[in-house]
Amino acid sequence: MPADSIAGSGGEVSATDHLGLIRAVVGRVGTNVVSVVLDTFAKGPVTATVMGGHFAAWWPDESITDESEDQASPGDELSGITVTLSDGTARSLPVAELLRQ
């Protein structure tokens, strides 16, 4: 994996008693990545936790139906990604880069 990149899932949806629907994205980060911000359609920018070569983020999601979830593609909940590198450089990434395996 490139030192300045990320790879991960497209976002899983879960239902909770108190928060309703939540969406989570997890994955790996390159050795130079110290921060990941996901630009979500539902909540705007969401800052992920980055630790030990991995990242994780979750946020309350808008209501979805079985039909809309069946038609969704991985990454549809994101409009972009910004990573910050250990030298302080911020780099915008396309959602497709997150989904590459």
Side-chain angles (χ1 to χ4, degrees):
M1 152 162 251
D4 62 348
S5 189
I6 64 173
S9 73
E12 298 296 322
V13 177
S14 299
T16 67
D17 290 337
H18 300 292
L19 296 174
L21 295 175
I22 61 168
R23 188 165 305 257
V25 176
V26 298
R28 299 175 296 132
V29 295
T31 57
N32 289 343
V33 176
V34 297
S35 171
V36 175
V37 176
L38 305 169
D39 296 317
T40 72
F41 288 112
K43 294 296 174 187
V46 173
T47 301
T49 298
V50 176
M51 184 183 300
H54 293 85
F55 77 95
W58 71 270
W59 59 96
D61 203 7
E62 297 174 351
S63 295
I64 58 170
T65 64
D66 288 340
E67 181 180 344
S68 67
E69 186 64 15
D70 288 344
Q71 295 175 1
S73 298
D76 277 353
E77 66 280 356
L78 303 175
S79 61
I81 302 161
T82 303
V83 297
T84 302
L85 307 179
S86 55
D87 68 0
T89 303
R91 181 173 177 235
S92 294
L93 303 177
V95 174
E97 186 162 334
L98 169 70
L99 302 175
R100 69 174 171 74
Q101 295 293 326

